[in-house]
Amino acid sequence: MRKAYTMEKNQEKLLEWVKDSKKTVAITGAGISYLYGVGRLKQMVSRPDMMGILSPEYVRTNPEGFYATMKSAFLDATFGKGPSPVHRQLYEMEQRGLLHGIITNNMDCLHQAAGSSDVVEIQGGFDDNICLACGRHFYDYTVWNEGELPRCPECGGPMMPANFCRTSPGHDKEFSARINKAADMLSDADLIVIIGTTGFLSEEYMTRVNPKAKLVQINPGSTKFDRAVDMNIREDAESVLDYVLKNA
Protein backbone atom coordinates (compact mmCIF):
# COMPACT_ATOMS: atom_id res chain seq x y z
CA MET A 1 0.00 0.00 0.00
CA ARG A 2 1.26 3.48 -0.84
CA LYS A 3 2.44 5.57 2.07
CA ALA A 4 2.11 9.34 2.26
CA TYR A 5 5.28 11.31 2.86
CA THR A 6 5.64 15.07 2.99
CA MET A 7 7.77 16.81 0.41
CA GLU A 8 10.30 17.49 3.13
CA LYS A 9 10.62 13.81 3.99
CA ASN A 10 10.42 11.97 0.67
CA GLN A 11 14.07 12.48 -0.26
CA GLU A 12 15.10 11.30 3.20
CA LYS A 13 12.96 8.20 2.81
CA LEU A 14 14.43 7.45 -0.62
CA LEU A 15 17.93 7.87 0.78
CA GLU A 16 17.11 5.40 3.55
CA TRP A 17 15.78 2.88 1.04
CA VAL A 18 18.81 3.28 -1.23
CA LYS A 19 21.18 2.68 1.69
CA ASP A 20 19.25 -0.42 2.79
CA SER A 21 18.87 -1.90 -0.70
CA LYS A 22 20.95 -4.85 -1.83
CA LYS A 23 19.83 -4.47 -5.45
CA THR A 24 18.46 -1.23 -6.88
CA VAL A 25 17.26 -0.98 -10.50
CA ALA A 26 16.33 2.24 -12.30
CA ILE A 27 13.71 2.47 -15.04
CA THR A 28 14.18 5.53 -17.25
CA GLY A 29 12.44 7.24 -20.14
CA ALA A 30 12.61 10.23 -22.44
CA GLY A 31 12.29 12.71 -19.57
CA ILE A 32 15.94 12.32 -18.59
CA SER A 33 17.05 13.23 -22.12
CA TYR A 34 14.65 15.63 -23.81
CA LEU A 35 14.42 17.95 -20.79
CA TYR A 36 18.12 18.63 -21.39
CA GLY A 37 17.75 19.31 -25.12
CA VAL A 38 17.97 15.83 -26.67
CA GLY A 39 15.28 14.98 -29.21
CA ARG A 40 12.29 12.91 -28.14
CA LEU A 41 12.43 10.13 -30.70
CA LYS A 42 9.12 8.49 -29.76
CA GLN A 43 7.32 11.81 -30.25
CA MET A 44 9.08 12.32 -33.58
CA VAL A 45 8.19 8.81 -34.78
CA SER A 46 4.49 9.42 -34.05
CA ARG A 47 4.32 12.49 -36.32
CA PRO A 48 2.18 11.82 -39.45
CA ASP A 49 4.83 13.30 -41.76
CA MET A 50 7.49 10.97 -40.38
CA MET A 51 5.64 7.65 -40.59
CA GLY A 52 6.76 6.88 -44.14
CA ILE A 53 10.36 7.98 -43.55
CA LEU A 54 10.68 5.72 -40.53
CA SER A 55 8.96 2.68 -42.02
CA PRO A 56 11.09 -0.47 -42.43
CA GLU A 57 10.63 -0.29 -46.19
CA TYR A 58 11.96 3.28 -46.37
CA VAL A 59 14.84 2.55 -43.99
CA ARG A 60 15.97 -0.40 -46.10
CA THR A 61 15.57 1.27 -49.51
CA ASN A 62 16.67 4.81 -48.64
CA PRO A 63 19.31 4.63 -45.89
CA GLU A 64 20.80 8.00 -46.91
CA GLY A 65 17.42 9.68 -46.43
CA PHE A 66 16.90 7.95 -43.09
CA TYR A 67 20.33 9.03 -41.90
CA ALA A 68 19.76 12.65 -42.96
CA THR A 69 16.46 12.71 -41.07
CA MET A 70 17.94 11.17 -37.94
CA LYS A 71 20.95 13.49 -38.04
CA SER A 72 18.94 16.70 -38.15
CA ALA A 73 16.11 15.61 -35.85
CA PHE A 74 17.88 13.46 -33.28
CA LEU A 75 21.55 12.54 -33.65
CA ASP A 76 23.06 16.04 -33.70
CA ALA A 77 21.27 16.91 -30.45
CA THR A 78 22.09 13.55 -28.88
CA PHE A 79 25.83 13.75 -29.52
CA GLY A 80 26.00 17.52 -29.19
CA LYS A 81 24.34 17.61 -25.78
CA GLY A 82 25.68 14.28 -24.60
CA PRO A 83 24.60 12.56 -21.38
CA SER A 84 22.45 14.70 -19.11
CA PRO A 85 23.21 15.29 -15.42
CA VAL A 86 20.76 12.50 -14.58
CA HIS A 87 22.61 10.02 -16.83
CA ARG A 88 25.84 10.95 -15.07
CA GLN A 89 24.25 10.72 -11.62
CA LEU A 90 22.99 7.21 -12.34
CA TYR A 91 26.48 6.23 -13.47
CA GLU A 92 27.94 7.62 -10.25
CA MET A 93 25.40 5.63 -8.28
CA GLU A 94 26.51 2.50 -10.12
CA GLN A 95 30.16 3.25 -9.40
CA ARG A 96 29.39 3.64 -5.71
CA GLY A 97 27.41 0.40 -5.52
CA LEU A 98 24.08 2.19 -5.09
CA LEU A 99 22.61 1.11 -8.45
CA HIS A 100 22.80 -2.32 -10.04
CA GLY A 101 21.06 -2.01 -13.40
CA ILE A 102 19.08 0.26 -15.73
CA ILE A 103 16.05 -0.49 -17.88
CA THR A 104 15.30 2.24 -20.41
CA ASN A 105 12.77 3.03 -23.11
CA ASN A 106 15.33 5.34 -24.70
CA MET A 107 17.28 4.48 -27.84
CA ASP A 108 19.87 7.26 -27.56
CA CYS A 109 22.57 5.19 -25.81
CA LEU A 110 23.27 8.07 -23.44
CA HIS A 111 23.40 5.75 -20.45
CA GLN A 112 26.29 3.93 -22.12
CA ALA A 113 27.90 7.23 -23.10
CA ALA A 114 27.78 8.26 -19.43
CA GLY A 115 29.54 5.02 -18.48
CA SER A 116 26.74 2.78 -17.20
CA SER A 117 27.51 -0.86 -17.88
CA ASP A 118 24.33 -2.87 -17.24
CA VAL A 119 21.67 -1.26 -19.42
CA VAL A 120 18.68 -2.91 -21.08
CA GLU A 121 17.26 -0.86 -23.95
CA ILE A 122 13.74 -2.22 -24.29
CA GLN A 123 13.22 -0.83 -27.79
CA GLY A 124 16.77 -1.45 -28.94
CA GLY A 125 19.16 1.38 -29.62
CA PHE A 126 21.65 2.93 -31.97
CA ASP A 127 24.27 0.55 -30.59
CA ASP A 128 22.74 -2.46 -32.40
CA ASN A 129 23.25 -1.95 -36.12
CA ILE A 130 22.74 -4.25 -39.07
CA CYS A 131 24.41 -4.08 -42.46
CA LEU A 132 21.75 -3.93 -45.15
CA ALA A 133 24.08 -5.64 -47.63
CA CYS A 134 25.59 -8.59 -45.74
CA GLY A 135 23.38 -8.80 -42.63
CA ARG A 136 26.17 -8.57 -40.06
CA HIS A 137 25.41 -6.93 -36.72
CA PHE A 138 27.72 -4.33 -35.20
CA TYR A 139 27.32 -3.09 -31.62
CA ASP A 140 28.70 0.44 -31.48
CA TYR A 141 26.63 3.62 -31.14
CA THR A 142 29.59 5.89 -31.94
CA VAL A 143 29.33 5.07 -35.66
CA TRP A 144 26.39 7.51 -35.72
CA ASN A 145 28.65 10.38 -34.69
CA GLU A 146 31.00 10.37 -37.66
CA GLY A 147 29.15 12.91 -39.81
CA GLU A 148 28.07 10.47 -42.50
CA LEU A 149 25.99 7.36 -43.05
CA PRO A 150 27.61 4.46 -41.16
CA ARG A 151 29.17 1.82 -43.40
CA CYS A 152 29.87 -1.84 -42.72
CA PRO A 153 33.59 -2.38 -42.02
CA GLU A 154 33.36 -5.80 -43.71
CA CYS A 155 31.63 -5.06 -47.01
CA GLY A 156 31.02 -1.30 -47.11
CA GLY A 157 27.24 -1.64 -47.16
CA PRO A 158 25.02 0.88 -45.34
CA MET A 159 24.28 0.15 -41.68
CA MET A 160 20.94 0.87 -40.01
CA PRO A 161 19.69 0.42 -36.43
CA ALA A 162 18.26 -3.09 -36.22
CA ASN A 163 15.20 -1.88 -34.32
CA PHE A 164 14.10 0.19 -37.33
CA CYS A 165 14.50 -2.79 -39.68
CA ARG A 166 11.57 -4.73 -38.35
CA THR A 167 11.86 -7.40 -40.99
CA SER A 168 15.46 -8.13 -39.99
CA PRO A 169 16.13 -11.77 -39.02
CA GLY A 170 15.79 -12.40 -35.31
CA HIS A 171 14.08 -9.10 -34.50
CA ASP A 172 11.29 -10.67 -32.46
CA LYS A 173 13.77 -12.96 -30.76
CA GLU A 174 15.99 -10.00 -29.83
CA PHE A 175 13.05 -8.01 -28.47
CA SER A 176 11.96 -10.97 -26.34
CA ALA A 177 15.50 -11.37 -25.02
CA ARG A 178 15.56 -7.74 -23.90
CA ILE A 179 12.17 -8.07 -22.22
CA ASN A 180 13.29 -11.22 -20.40
CA LYS A 181 16.52 -9.61 -19.22
CA ALA A 182 14.61 -6.62 -17.88
CA ALA A 183 12.09 -8.87 -16.12
CA ASP A 184 14.96 -10.86 -14.58
CA MET A 185 16.50 -7.63 -13.28
CA LEU A 186 13.27 -6.71 -11.54
CA SER A 187 12.58 -10.16 -10.15
CA ASP A 188 15.27 -9.89 -7.48
CA ALA A 189 15.49 -6.12 -7.05
CA ASP A 190 14.43 -4.80 -3.66
CA LEU A 191 14.23 -1.16 -4.80
CA ILE A 192 12.97 0.07 -8.18
CA VAL A 193 13.35 3.77 -9.02
CA ILE A 194 11.27 4.99 -11.97
CA ILE A 195 12.52 8.23 -13.54
CA GLY A 196 11.14 10.31 -16.40
CA THR A 197 8.99 7.67 -18.09
CA THR A 198 5.25 7.40 -18.60
CA GLY A 199 5.42 3.61 -18.63
CA PHE A 200 5.56 2.77 -22.33
CA LEU A 201 5.92 -1.03 -22.73
CA SER A 202 6.09 -1.48 -18.94
CA GLU A 203 3.40 -4.15 -19.12
CA GLU A 204 5.89 -6.26 -21.08
CA TYR A 205 8.77 -6.28 -18.59
CA MET A 206 7.15 -5.64 -15.19
CA THR A 207 5.59 -9.09 -15.08
CA ARG A 208 7.99 -10.56 -12.53
CA VAL A 209 8.63 -7.67 -10.16
CA ASN A 210 9.77 -8.85 -6.74
CA PRO A 211 6.60 -8.54 -4.60
CA LYS A 212 8.73 -7.32 -1.69
CA ALA A 213 10.40 -4.57 -3.71
CA LYS A 214 9.78 -0.92 -2.92
CA LEU A 215 8.81 1.18 -5.95
CA VAL A 216 9.57 4.88 -6.14
CA GLN A 217 8.65 7.25 -8.94
CA ILE A 218 10.54 10.51 -9.50
CA ASN A 219 8.53 12.62 -11.91
CA PRO A 220 7.01 16.11 -11.63
CA GLY A 221 4.02 14.95 -13.68
CA SER A 222 1.46 12.17 -13.39
CA THR A 223 1.99 8.79 -15.12
CA LYS A 224 0.51 5.30 -15.22
CA PHE A 225 2.83 4.36 -12.33
CA ASP A 226 1.19 6.75 -9.85
CA ARG A 227 -0.99 4.16 -8.15
CA ALA A 228 1.48 1.29 -8.43
CA VAL A 229 4.40 2.79 -6.51
CA ASP A 230 5.06 3.08 -2.80
CA MET A 231 6.15 6.70 -3.09
CA ASN A 232 5.77 9.46 -5.68
CA ILE A 233 8.40 12.21 -5.60
CA ARG A 234 7.03 15.18 -7.55
CA GLU A 235 10.38 16.84 -8.09
CA ASP A 236 12.98 16.91 -10.83
CA ALA A 237 15.26 13.87 -10.82
CA GLU A 238 18.49 15.88 -10.90
CA SER A 239 17.86 17.50 -7.53
CA VAL A 240 16.60 14.28 -5.94
CA LEU A 241 19.59 12.22 -7.07
CA ASP A 242 21.94 15.01 -6.07
CA TYR A 243 20.55 14.76 -2.53
CA VAL A 244 21.01 10.98 -2.53
CA LEU A 245 24.59 11.13 -3.78
CA LYS A 246 25.60 13.84 -1.31
CA ASN A 247 24.21 11.94 1.67
CA ALA A 248 24.63 8.25 0.87
Side-chain angles (χ1 to χ4, degrees):
M1 181 179 294
R2 287 173 294 147
K3 297 180 180 179
Y5 298 103
T6 65
M7 279 301 212
E8 293 74 22
K9 294 293 183 181
N10 55 16
Q11 290 185 349
E12 295 177 14
K13 181 57 64 174
L14 175 60
L15 176 63
E16 175 188 324
W17 288 352
V18 168
K19 286 181 175 180
D20 290 344
S21 173
K22 292 183 172 60
K23 182 176 181 181
T24 298
V25 174
I27 300 174
T28 70
I32 71 168
S33 295
Y34 84 87
L35 289 176
Y36 295 91
V38 176
R40 197 171 191 174
L41 189 57
K42 179 186 172 187
Q43 193 174 66
M44 186 185 78
V45 170
S46 66
R47 281 167 40 191
D49 61 317
M50 298 295 289
M51 297 301 289
I53 294 175
L54 299 178
S55 69
E57 293 77 13
Y58 183 93
V59 170
R60 286 181 166 274
T61 58
N62 194 347
E64 291 282 1
F66 174 86
Y67 171 74
T69 300
M70 286 291 103
K71 186 176 187 302
S72 62
F74 182 71
L75 294 171
D76 283 349
T78 298
F79 288 106
K81 298 289 183 179
S84 72
V86 177
H87 291 100
R88 298 187 189 281
Q89 289 169 322
L90 291 173
Y91 170 65
E92 184 178 346
M93 288 182 67
E94 178 189 311
Q95 290 295 100
R96 292 171 57 178
L98 302 173
L99 183 66
H100 307 89
I102 297 172
I103 298 165
T104 187
N105 286 320
N106 300 338
M107 294 182 275
D108 52 29
C109 299
L110 290 176
H111 283 299
Q112 294 92 321
S116 295
S117 59
D118 198 357
V119 181
V120 179
E121 294 169 315
I122 293 298
Q123 300 184 82
F126 281 78
D127 57 346
D128 179 6
N129 303 295
I130 187 171
C131 174
L132 298 183
C134 68
R136 290 183 174 90
H137 277 258
F138 297 91
Y139 301 93
D140 181 4
Y141 68 90
T142 64
V143 299
W144 294 95
N145 191 31
E146 296 178 356
E148 59 185 5
L149 175 70
R151 292 281 174 180
C152 174
E154 300 293 331
C155 74
M159 291 198 299
M160 290 285 103
N163 54 305
F164 282 99
C165 301
R166 303 201 186 277
T167 58
S168 63
H171 174 78
D172 291 339
K173 181 179 179 181
E174 291 163 5
F175 176 74
S176 296
R178 293 193 296 269
I179 291 295
N180 286 331
K181 183 176 180 182
D184 285 344
M185 267 190 187
L186 298 176
S187 67
D188 59 354
D190 49 31
L191 177 60
I192 300 168
V193 183
I194 303 165
I195 308 172
T197 178
T198 59
F200 182 64
L201 290 177
S202 60
E203 66 279 0
E204 296 280 352
Y205 58 82
M206 294 193 75
T207 55
R208 300 201 301 273
V209 171
N210 178 1
K212 296 182 179 180
K214 294 181 175 68
L215 277 71
V216 178
Q217 176 175 233
I218 306 173
N219 200 319
S222 180
T223 78
K224 67 188 296 183
F225 291 113
D226 287 0
R227 295 183 178 275
V229 300
D230 296 285
M231 182 168 64
N232 281 299
I233 302 180
R234 300 299 192 197
E235 301 174 55
D236 68 276
E238 184 179 345
S239 63
V240 174
L241 296 183
D242 182 63
Y243 176 85
V244 170
L245 287 165
K246 284 180 178 177
N247 294 280

